[in-house]
Amino acid sequence: MKKNLQRISFLFCILFFSFTTWAQNKTITGKVSDESGTPILAASVIFKGTNLGTSTDVNGDFKLSVPENAKTLTISSTGFVTKEVPIVGNTISVSLVRSTSNLNEVVVVGYGSQKKSNVTGAISSVKASDLQNVPNGRIEQALQGRVSGVTVMQNSGQP
């Protein structure tokens, strides 16, 4: 009987310590906005020094599970200055400042956006002012012949 009580006590101790080691994460929630208070969509929120991260939703809200000893979050978005925020509590509100120096280095391509230095193909651009003086009512006709290497074709009435 005494051996059974010792075994039960031993198993209880093991279970108790295993539950305390599982509960080592905490959830951080927050909101990312610009200096005027407008929410920033798809801002990156990363636990500094790791690849644990998430991005903000359309309301600028995020939710991230980090280790209990986490100290700093790195928050960045295209067109804004990257900010490192200390983790104090479970709720964080961050305001990012616009960066005017990096806007010329970003190229928007058909499948996302990339830094100008990372683009390996040719880049062509058409300014809106060039298209304003064209008497065509259709965008594909206005673009036709403006950029080398681009062929504009109409296969049906669908855009």
Side-chain angles (χ1 to χ4, degrees):
M1 181 73 169
K2 190 173 183 182
K3 278 197 172 216
N4 284 340
L5 184 60
Q6 286 177 342
R7 287 182 185 170
I8 291 173
S9 298
F10 179 71
L11 287 174
F12 178 72
C13 288
I14 289 175
L15 286 174
F16 176 75
F17 287 116
S18 65
F19 283 128
T20 57
T21 57
W22 285 338
Q24 300 260 338
N25 283 350
K26 65 180 177 179
T27 301
I28 305 293
T29 58
K31 185 173 188 83
V32 179
S33 58
D34 64 6
E35 59 266 6
S36 66
T38 305
I40 298 176
L41 169 68
S44 297
V45 181
I46 300 172
F47 169 43
K48 185 179 178 183
T50 68
N51 59 356
L52 293 174
T54 188
S55 60
T56 58
D57 61 12
V58 291
N59 298 322
D61 297 325
F62 69 90
K63 186 176 184 179
L64 179 63
S65 180
V66 295
E68 191 68 36
N69 62 352
K71 302 276 188 237
T72 308
L73 292 179
T74 303
I75 301 173
S76 63
S77 183
T78 303
F80 293 91
V81 177
T82 300
K83 192 171 191 178
E84 291 186 0
V85 180
I87 298 174
V88 179
N90 292 335
T91 304
I92 295 175
S93 182
V94 179
S95 177
L96 295 181
V97 178
R98 292 197 184 274
S99 170
T100 56
S101 63
N102 292 337
L103 289 180
N104 291 331
E105 298 175 8
V106 175
V107 177
V108 177
V109 292
Y111 44 87
S113 62
Q114 296 180 352
K115 286 187 177 180
K116 201 177 227 182
S117 61
N118 293 339
V119 176
T120 58
I123 299 172
S124 297
S125 63
V126 177
K127 295 180 181 171
S129 60
D130 295 340
L131 298 177
Q132 286 177 338
N133 299 328
V134 178
N136 294 326
R138 300 178 61 101
I139 188 67
E140 69 270 9
Q141 290 174 345
L143 286 174
Q144 201 165 18
R146 299 270 178 191
V147 180
S148 63
V150 175
T151 304
V152 180
M153 296 179 356
Q154 183 177 0
N155 293 332
S156 68
Q158 298 292 324

